[in-house]
Amino acid sequence: MTTLSIDFETRSDVDLRQHGAYRYFASPNADVLMASYSFDRGETVRRWRREDPCPEDIRAHIEADEAVISAHNAAFERLAFWSVLVPRYGWPKPRLEQFTCTAVAAAAQQLPRALEKLGEALALPVQKDKEGTRLIRKFSIPRKPKKGESPLALLWNEPEDHPEDFEKFHNYCDDDVRTECAAKARLVPQSVEETLNYHISERINDRGLRIDRTSVRAAIRLAEKAKKLINREMRLVTGGYVGAASEVGKLKEWIESQGVAVPTLGKDILEELLEREDLSDNVRKAVALRQEFAKTSVAKLKAFMKRVSADGRIRGAFLFHAAGTGRFSSVGAQLHNLPRPRKAFGKAALNMQVLFQFIRLEDPELLKAMYGDELGRTLHLISDAIRGFIWAAPGKELLVADYSGIEGAVAAWVCDEAWKLQAMFDIIDDPNLPDLYRRAAAGIFNTTTDILTKDDGRRQVGKVSELSMQYQGGVGAFRSMAKNYSLKLDEVYTPVWAAASEADREGAEKRHEECEARGEALALEMSREAWLAAELVKVGWRRSHPAISESWKLLESAIWEAVTQPGTVVQCLKVKYVVRKSFLWCLLPSGRCLAYGKPEIRDIEVPWSDKTQPRHAREKKATVTALSVNSVTKRWERSALYGGLLLENIVQAIARDLMCAGIQKAEEAGYPVIGHVHDEIITEVPRGWGDVHEFEALICEKPDWASALPLVAEGWRGKRYRK
């Protein structure tokens, strides 16, 4: 089958990075300046410019029944076709299903998505021309007015005025096609199933999520009023020393002048300070003011407005295959990290309808009067409401369902933790049975769920352990998760210590002494009681989960065998590993593969090495390492593979495959998906149409390969999005 590989150079008066491709091409001033394309894997690159008619070879290809169009970040090229080339220049309209994306194929192999970095990672003979940045700025972005020109005019550097540079620009476009073709030849093609998932993801991005723009604008104005009040209060409580809550350095100085030592004023430190009982009223007030001022919700709302289209919908918010596991992420408006309402509201749900009425009144003092001095802090309330700014179109409702405890279920299934699997199936049959958090807590505290009831405070310890220990987490993982759930480890110490056996106590104390002697940061930062509490919880959780705990070693042994014996297929748990074509492949139950680049065994410093020793003298261990994209730096970097990480990758990949299967089921049944957040599927349906329980059951219809996996979802419907 012949593939058309194509790349466009475009221009628009809308900032692509700030506003996204949908708004970029929606502008009447958007245009396609040129195209470079190839039908023979880049051996021959052909050209088109906007003064020319659509090339006949492109027209014939698009109109063919099974024609394929390949591009890097193909959504951009597709929107260029649909928004400019078809209506303005008479090109035939390609179907969404004709497009494939080399950026997605690269991401599926844990390679960089950016074409320049991909070319470097693959050491391609033709790579992206770095001079392109200058040429894009010259031809794709409006230029500044010259002397005598109107400052209000939309002005461009036209091709005919700069023919030499424009020719270089087209050379750059040619090289992009050659690089894309060279990369495509080295990448594993996406399967039929993954191609279908990609096309559904693009359809979801095309539909978009509707935003309550009136309330967003009101909330932004309300926030500005609130910030002025916060700054005034800050000056009052600090005696004028701190002029505004944004003056973090001055605030730190003032707090320390009050006898309170603080390393920084980061989010975690502010939370810890507010938990202290020895702060003066003024210091506590100043810290609370800074905490409120630092809320990022207003920035999130501004991002909403930058990305929203003329019809009030944010499009292009979801990135397919964002992580090496295949999981999605959100871009632009970042819908995957929306905060939840504060726990201070308790079990009573925050009435969003009422709250939004008050937000539209734009009066901070009215909010305080309504919710009280503490709960009524404006920026906190805007944060509480942030999900509700997403709402359904007139005459429609959101119908949403979230897979419940899916990672725990998948891990138990993959590792064959028999007791836990049975417990999950039992709870599905009878939701009144003790939940997994109570069962985990009972194991940690050496008791039974008859004694440890649902209202027992120790259940929270079980919850935090379930969320932090599964992937070989220890003291540090438990401590981090405990902070998220306001669980104080010093208070956990007494009941955990009392429930522990003498042998476990002695083992924990010995380990603490060793960690302290080696200079491990956690042992030095945490109180002895907090550290011991976390260690004993870890020991208790692992003892209760023997199969999961054993899986970490099994997975490490499996990849060691696969790397030391290239070509040998190694079965482990419900996956298979093999090294071929410079990658370590992990075959999942769904038939999809995870990829780890250029696996090698290297000596890596062990976590328990003596940090008081010079680096070269610290203990090392031969470990399997591989190249993958660092989620923070976006660089292709080498890192160690350990059991907990391998299990996490497998579990999250399987959970993603199950969610994609659920999305397919929803689409087939007429529930149009408009978004997804982690393990939650969001649809938009006519008011009164469909059924929540039907939808829950629908997305839990399991593929044959997962028939023995416990899967359940919990849903709701309503006008505004919520958690």
Side-chain angles (χ1 to χ4, degrees):
M1 183 187 300
T2 303
T3 297
L4 166 63
S5 297
I6 194 162
D7 185 71
F8 298 127
E9 297 304 334
T10 62
R11 75 183 188 189
S12 176
D13 56 334
V14 173
D15 188 311
L16 179 63
R17 294 192 177 205
Q18 289 285 321
H19 301 286
Y22 286 84
R23 284 196 60 181
Y24 179 91
F25 281 115
S27 169
N29 299 306
D31 204 356
V32 178
L33 301 174
M34 64 178 70
S36 295
Y37 64 99
S38 175
F39 288 101
D40 54 11
R41 300 184 179 182
E43 293 178 15
T44 304
V45 176
R46 305 173 190 179
R47 290 180 165 188
W48 170 86
R49 291 186 180 175
R50 61 178 175 171
E51 61 269 18
D52 300 328
C54 173
E56 285 304 315
D57 50 3
I58 290 180
R59 182 180 295 279
H61 182 81
I62 291 173
E63 292 175 348
D65 287 341
E66 297 184 0
V68 176
I69 303 170
S70 176
H72 200 79
N73 294 317
F76 187 85
E77 268 66 30
R78 179 170 62 84
L79 292 174
F81 267 107
W82 288 7
S83 301
V84 178
L85 293 173
V86 173
R88 191 177 306 167
Y89 296 111
W91 286 38
K93 183 177 180 179
R95 294 175 290 107
L96 184 154
E97 291 76 16
Q98 290 181 268
F99 286 89
T100 63
C101 181
T102 50
V104 168
Q109 288 181 235
Q110 293 217 57
L111 288 159
R113 294 182 82 101
L115 187 58
E116 180 180 345
K117 295 183 184 299
L118 177 60
E120 293 171 357
L122 294 177
L124 298 177
V126 179
Q127 296 193 17
K128 190 174 177 71
D129 184 356
K130 295 182 180 180
E131 194 194 11
T133 302
R134 177 184 73 84
L135 297 169
I136 288 170
R137 286 175 180 162
K138 184 166 187 173
F139 292 107
S140 299
I141 300 171
R143 67 171 174 82
K144 294 180 180 179
K146 298 175 182 177
K147 186 176 180 180
E149 293 178 329
S150 169
L152 301 178
L154 183 62
L155 303 167
W156 305 93
N157 286 312
E158 297 294 351
E160 57 270 22
D161 297 329
H162 307 274
E164 187 175 336
D165 263 354
F166 198 70
E167 183 64 20
K168 289 180 181 178
F169 200 20
H170 216 143
N171 292 338
Y172 164 77
C173 192
D174 292 345
D175 284 345
D176 270 5
V177 170
R178 293 190 183 97
T179 305
E180 291 167 20
C181 288
K184 186 177 177 66
R186 295 276 298 277
L187 297 171
V188 176
Q190 293 287 280
S191 67
V192 172
E193 184 74 7
E194 280 301 282
T195 300
L196 172 61
N197 288 330
Y198 167 67
H199 291 149
I200 291 174
S201 178
E202 288 298 281
R203 198 171 292 115
I204 291 169
N205 275 331
D206 286 351
R207 289 177 184 138
L209 300 99
R210 184 170 176 252
I211 302 301
D212 179 359
R213 289 177 291 178
T214 300
S215 293
V216 169
R217 295 187 186 101
I220 292 171
R221 292 190 293 267
L222 174 64
E224 292 306 313
K225 294 177 184 178
K227 286 182 177 181
K228 291 179 181 178
L229 294 176
I230 290 171
N231 288 335
R232 186 176 70 185
E233 290 182 77
M234 182 67 81
R235 289 191 291 271
L236 288 172
V237 298
T238 62
Y241 190 86
V242 183
S246 59
E247 297 177 357
V248 179
K250 295 285 286 182
L251 178 58
K252 182 175 181 293
E253 290 175 4
W254 180 81
I255 291 173
E256 290 183 333
S257 74
Q258 305 301 301
V260 181
V262 286
T264 66
L265 287 180
K267 178 182 177 182
D268 289 346
I269 301 299
L270 291 173
E271 290 175 356
E272 289 177 7
L273 281 171
L274 290 173
E275 289 176 1
R276 289 176 55 168
E277 297 178 356
D278 60 341
L279 297 184
S280 68
D281 290 343
N282 279 352
V283 171
R284 184 176 301 280
K285 182 70 172 176
V287 171
L289 289 169
R290 171 58 199 170
Q291 184 189 50
E292 182 185 2
F293 191 90
K295 299 297 280 188
T296 59
S297 304
V298 176
K300 180 79 68 179
L301 293 179
K302 290 179 178 178
F304 282 6
M305 293 306 293
K306 286 179 181 178
R307 294 277 171 161
V308 73
S309 297
D311 64 353
R313 303 186 79 90
I314 290 177
R315 293 183 170 84
F318 301 102
L319 186 63
F320 183 73
H321 225 306
T325 59
R327 300 208 82 174
F328 298 84
S329 73
S330 182
V331 294
Q334 284 295 343
L335 301 173
H336 274 208
N337 62 355
L338 300 176
R340 298 171 181 239
R342 284 168 290 170
K343 295 175 183 177
F345 285 100
K347 294 182 179 179
L350 185 60
N351 188 320
M352 287 295 176
Q353 183 177 354
V354 172
L355 177 54
F356 273 90
Q357 288 174 350
F358 280 99
I359 286 174
R360 289 191 178 198
L361 294 174
E362 302 179 28
D363 187 344
E365 297 298 341
L366 195 57
L367 288 172
K368 278 191 180 182
M370 177 66 184
Y371 295 98
D373 285 345
E374 293 304 316
L375 289 179
R377 305 296 305 186
T378 299
L379 299 186
H380 285 303
L381 281 170
I382 291 175
S383 177
D384 295 330
I386 194 74
R387 294 170 186 262
F389 289 97
I390 298 169
W391 66 345
K396 294 189 176 182
E397 290 179 304
L398 303 180
L399 199 156
V400 182
D402 192 358
Y403 290 109
S404 304
I406 188 170
E407 287 196 30
V410 172
W413 177 71
V414 166
C415 302
D416 197 20
E417 194 71 76
W419 73 265
K420 199 167 193 177
L421 282 173
Q422 187 58 54
M424 289 176 176
F425 280 117
D426 290 344
I427 293 168
I428 290 172
D429 291 336
D430 183 1
N432 294 316
L433 290 173
D435 64 21
L436 290 174
Y437 298 153
R438 281 173 64 192
R439 295 175 194 235
I444 292 166
F445 290 99
N446 193 27
T447 185
T448 66
T449 53
D450 291 335
I451 296 172
L452 202 154
T453 64
K454 64 180 181 181
D455 296 322
D456 193 310
R458 292 175 293 178
R459 177 183 178 276
Q460 191 75 345
V461 175
K463 179 176 183 177
V464 173
S465 70
E466 282 288 286
L467 297 174
S468 62
M469 297 294 179
Q470 186 164 273
Y471 304 128
Q472 213 170 348
V475 171
F478 187 76
R479 179 202 191 195
S480 297
M481 191 63 69
K483 284 184 177 181
N484 292 341
Y485 287 88
S486 303
L487 183 66
K488 298 179 181 178
L489 297 189
D490 288 298
E491 295 177 3
V492 172
Y493 168 76
T494 300
V496 169
W497 185 262
S501 68
E502 191 61 34
D504 285 348
R505 291 178 187 176
E506 290 177 2
E509 286 183 316
K510 182 179 179 181
R511 181 166 167 73
H512 180 260
E513 290 172 5
E514 292 171 348
C515 292
E516 199 172 37
R518 289 195 296 261
E520 291 191 12
L522 285 172
L524 300 177
E525 292 171 8
M526 298 171 67
S527 71
R528 178 178 177 277
E529 289 75 15
W531 195 98
L532 290 172
E535 174 69 10
L536 288 170
V537 168
K538 180 198 80 174
V539 170
W541 190 91
R542 291 185 179 183
R543 183 180 292 122
S544 299
H545 294 77
I548 291 176
S549 299
E550 179 65 18
S551 75
W552 306 327
K553 292 180 181 178
L554 293 175
L555 289 166
E556 288 180 9
S557 297
I559 63 169
W560 182 279
E561 183 180 348
V563 171
T564 55
Q565 300 179 43
T568 301
V569 178
V570 182
Q571 175 80 49
C572 183
L573 306 176
K574 288 182 171 59
V575 301
K576 295 177 182 178
Y577 288 101
V578 67
V579 172
R580 286 179 185 156
K581 295 183 178 180
S582 300
F583 280 85
L584 169 65
W585 301 95
C586 174
L587 178 64
L588 299 167
S590 65
R592 186 166 66 89
C593 284
L594 302 182
Y596 303 88
K598 297 183 179 179
E600 293 178 5
I601 293 173
R602 295 190 178 184
D603 287 337
I604 301 295
E605 182 182 320
V606 296
W608 57 85
S609 64
D610 189 345
K611 302 301 186 293
T612 64
Q613 297 294 316
R615 285 191 177 276
H616 70 274
R618 295 177 188 175
E619 183 181 349
K620 295 180 175 62
K621 177 185 176 183
T623 305
V624 176
T625 67
L627 291 167
S628 60
V629 177
N630 184 306
S631 61
V632 177
T633 65
K634 305 303 179 186
R635 297 177 184 275
W636 208 41
E637 298 176 352
R638 184 167 295 278
S639 58
L641 302 179
Y642 63 91
L645 175 65
L646 295 167
L647 180 61
E648 181 181 41
N649 288 173
I650 292 165
V651 168
Q652 292 190 352
I654 292 172
R656 175 270 193 193
D657 289 344
L658 289 168
M659 189 178 79
C660 282
I663 290 173
Q664 286 186 28
K665 291 287 185 183
E667 291 278 313
E668 291 166 4
Y671 290 89
V673 178
I674 61 168
H676 38 73
V677 177
H678 304 304
D679 302 312
E680 182 180 61
I681 301 173
I682 309 167
T683 72
E684 187 176 30
V685 299
R687 187 178 295 125
W689 184 90
D691 180 79
V692 171
H693 297 305
E694 175 190 74
F695 186 69
E696 292 168 347
L698 181 70
I699 66 171
C700 288
E701 290 180 8
K702 293 171 287 192
D704 291 342
W705 55 264
S707 60
L709 190 154
L711 188 63
V712 66
E714 185 175 353
W716 58 271
R717 70 187 305 154
K719 183 68 175 178
R720 293 186 186 271
Y721 181 49
R722 60 180 172 81
K723 191 65 178 178

